[in-house]
Amino acid sequence: MLRVAVVGSGPSGVYTAQSLVQQDPGVLVDVLDRLPCPYGLVRYGVAPDHEKIKSLQQNLRTVLEHDRVRFLGGVRVGAGAVPVERLRELYHAVVYCVGAAADRRLGIPGEDLPGSWSATEFVAWYSAHPDAVADGYLSGARSAVVVGVGNVAVDVTRILARGAAELSPTDMPQTALSALAASEVTEIHMVGRRGPSQARFTTKELRELGALPDTDVVVDEAELALDPDYADPSALPAAQRRNIEVLRGWAAAPPRGLRRRIRLRFFLRPVALLADGDRVGTVRFERTAPDGRGGVTGTGRYEELEAQLVLRSVGYRGVPLEGLPFDPERGTVPHLAGRVLRAGAVAPGEYVAGWIKRGPTGVIGTNRPCAKETVTSLLEDAPALARRELPGDPLPLLREAGAEPVEWAGWLAIERAEAELGASLGRGVVKLPDWASLRAAAGVTPAGAQDGVRDTHSQHP
């Protein structure tokens, strides 16, 4: 009987568990997460108004309810928690699917002024992540600048422009909904340092901006024309061609004088955030130009945009996990087909999948082949790994190590509490926004069972 721990319950972790139980009828998988809730970025990163993508949780749920998979939330691994070495003792193999938790910085003066945030922080706030910092993003803000032209940048731009009536049916926490309903932000600039043909948003996400009620989308055709591929995009991949078609349509349409305005800007590189009193008030940009090699170069010409709120959305980066090797250049764990490498040699029984393996690239579905590659490596190693005798069921031993695991029944209790909270507010399901309320709802107990809910994972010895 092979016991495997998968650290992380987002798509990469769940797809890893799924591949394991599908390919090996004797494997037992514990999916560990430091949060008491499963699904990772599907729960805490997908925008609340993207219900179709969020419905992927139902597919992930099916895996976590498999009779040879056990969800153990609230289990931290690494510094000050369950050491990597102890986890390795409790399981024949451990697969780390811990994502890329840090955001990339701009590295410019004024970046740490009040009112300047990462998009990651803003998303965590409106997604009710329990690590989110206190409210205050929108306080005193009339104009916002979003630095970046990927899908996350489009998400935060769209949420800033949404009205309360459109967001109320979502699972957005009440504090965020109330703050957005009272928001005075009417001008939103989404700015990229390169041109429209190099933007990373998908056409579907881009078009959603044009469908927002009471919101103009403004694009300057002269700015688009700085891109050499704009005049004739026929040689571009289909996705980029469609993006340019959408932008061309907006550039040709006159503004309608609506309440809110989204301006899409290109070939502008932020060089400084300037203060207005004790907070950010202006973003200074340098105009860039194509360098002929797919990048841009500075022109020495500058432009300033007013902004009391600045959200940077320029990518994610992996962070080291104490006890695991780490490549600071790539922000990943060194590996060979998913096998962790220590000092260039394969570390028996240690594996990686997802962003910590390949970097923050691809879409949710990209995690499937990534997980499959790692599982293939693990199962090739399984005969040797399974010869090691384990000390028994890891659950009580994790408790001895100081963890307070939230089993599946505890997660079901959180779901019920969120449904009850939504009903009390006259809404649908509303997420619990902090550690205290999540822990109280889960009612963490040594047995892990709540209110007579059947523990569907009791088959683990």
Side-chain angles (χ1 to χ4, degrees):
M1 185 71 71
L2 188 72
R3 280 194 180 274
V4 179
V6 173
V7 181
S9 68
S12 64
V14 176
Y15 292 151
T16 297
Q18 182 181 43
S19 189
L20 280 165
V21 295
Q22 284 178 343
Q23 295 188 52
D24 186 334
V27 69
L28 293 177
V29 182
D30 282 348
V31 178
L32 280 52
D33 203 296
R34 73 179 189 90
L35 298 175
C37 308
Y39 312 134
L41 283 179
V42 177
R43 175 175 166 90
Y44 288 119
V46 174
D49 59 341
H50 274 180
E51 291 296 332
K52 184 174 181 181
I53 302 175
K54 289 176 73 67
S55 68
L56 176 62
Q57 291 183 19
Q58 294 305 313
N59 297 334
L60 303 181
R61 182 190 197 100
T62 300
V63 179
L64 294 175
E65 289 182 333
H66 190 282
D67 60 4
R68 287 184 285 117
V69 176
R70 177 168 61 181
F71 173 70
L72 299 176
V75 178
R76 293 176 55 239
V77 176
V82 180
V84 163
E85 296 79 9
R86 182 55 174 157
L87 208 59
R88 181 71 184 88
E89 293 169 357
L90 299 180
Y91 296 89
H92 292 113
V94 183
V95 187
Y96 295 93
C97 307
V98 292
D103 60 276
R104 294 185 181 275
R105 294 178 59 83
L106 299 173
I108 61 176
E111 187 170 7
D112 293 320
L113 281 169
S116 169
W117 307 86
S118 72
T120 307
E121 293 170 306
F122 189 63
V123 170
W125 169 68
Y126 68 60
S127 297
H129 195 292
D131 288 341
V133 298
D135 192 1
Y137 294 93
L138 304 174
S139 177
R142 303 176 305 278
S143 179
V145 165
V146 178
V147 180
V149 283
N151 278 345
V152 174
V154 175
D155 279 348
V156 299
T157 297
R158 189 182 66 255
I159 293 296
L160 282 170
R162 281 262 190 229
E166 303 152 66
L167 292 172
S168 183
T170 74
D171 62 5
M172 178 178 284
Q174 189 64 31
T175 51
L177 179 65
S178 298
L180 286 162
S183 169
E184 297 180 355
V185 173
T186 56
E187 188 93 1
I188 307 163
H189 303 264
M190 189 172 76
V191 187
R193 64 185 178 89
R194 297 193 291 179
S197 68
Q198 297 167 314
R200 301 223 172 170
F201 41 63
T202 58
T203 309
K204 179 179 180 297
E205 293 257 3
L206 182 64
R207 283 179 175 144
E208 287 182 308
L209 297 180
L212 293 170
D214 205 17
T215 303
D216 272 328
V217 180
V218 179
V219 186
D220 184 347
E221 177 115 37
E223 199 166 72
L224 297 177
L226 297 173
D227 190 329
D229 290 311
Y230 177 73
D232 180 13
S234 59
L236 293 174
Q240 279 76 18
R241 290 201 307 272
R242 289 192 294 267
N243 286 344
I244 285 180
E245 288 169 9
V246 173
L247 294 168
R248 198 189 299 275
W250 286 338
R256 294 170 292 171
L258 301 178
R259 177 176 176 269
R260 286 180 294 266
R261 182 164 48 187
I262 295 172
R263 291 185 177 271
L264 301 186
R265 306 295 307 276
F266 298 95
F267 293 111
L268 290 173
R269 176 170 59 200
V271 294
L273 305 188
L274 309 177
D276 180 8
D278 61 354
R279 64 176 295 157
V280 67
T282 303
V283 185
R284 176 175 293 162
F285 293 91
E286 181 182 17
R287 170 67 67 189
T288 62
D291 63 5
R293 301 183 301 276
V296 292
T297 185
T299 65
R301 291 180 286 119
Y302 297 89
E303 179 177 334
E304 293 183 354
L305 294 177
E306 176 190 347
Q308 298 79 36
L309 172 64
V310 177
L311 298 173
R312 66 178 181 275
S313 180
V314 291
Y316 296 95
R317 183 173 179 78
V319 295
L321 180 64
E322 185 178 271
L324 277 185
F326 188 72
D327 181 347
E329 291 289 322
R330 298 176 180 272
T332 58
V333 171
H335 71 93
L336 179 64
R339 297 177 175 95
V340 171
L341 297 176
R342 292 182 179 271
V346 169
E350 294 183 308
Y351 305 85
V352 285
W355 280 1
I356 200 64
K357 171 186 173 184
R358 67 180 191 274
T361 60
V363 295
I364 290 174
T366 310
N367 290 293
R368 281 190 181 276
C370 175
K372 186 176 181 180
E373 178 190 54
T374 295
V375 168
T376 298
S377 295
L378 191 160
L379 293 180
E380 287 174 357
D381 304 339
L385 298 173
R387 287 198 290 266
R388 184 165 59 89
E389 188 173 343
L390 300 181
D393 182 7
L395 181 54
L397 300 173
L398 287 169
R399 290 197 177 102
E400 287 179 12
E404 293 184 326
V406 174
E407 296 185 72
W408 193 250
W411 160 240
L412 295 179
I414 291 172
E415 284 191 315
R416 290 198 302 274
E418 293 184 335
E420 291 165 2
L421 174 60
S424 73
L425 296 168
R427 299 173 58 194
V429 171
V430 174
K431 286 181 185 170
L432 298 174
D434 55 68
W435 282 101
S437 57
L438 289 168
R439 285 172 174 149
V444 179
T445 66
Q450 308 297 320
D451 301 328
V453 175
R454 181 174 65 89
D455 184 353
T456 59
H457 303 76
S458 59
Q459 79 296 329
H460 277 253

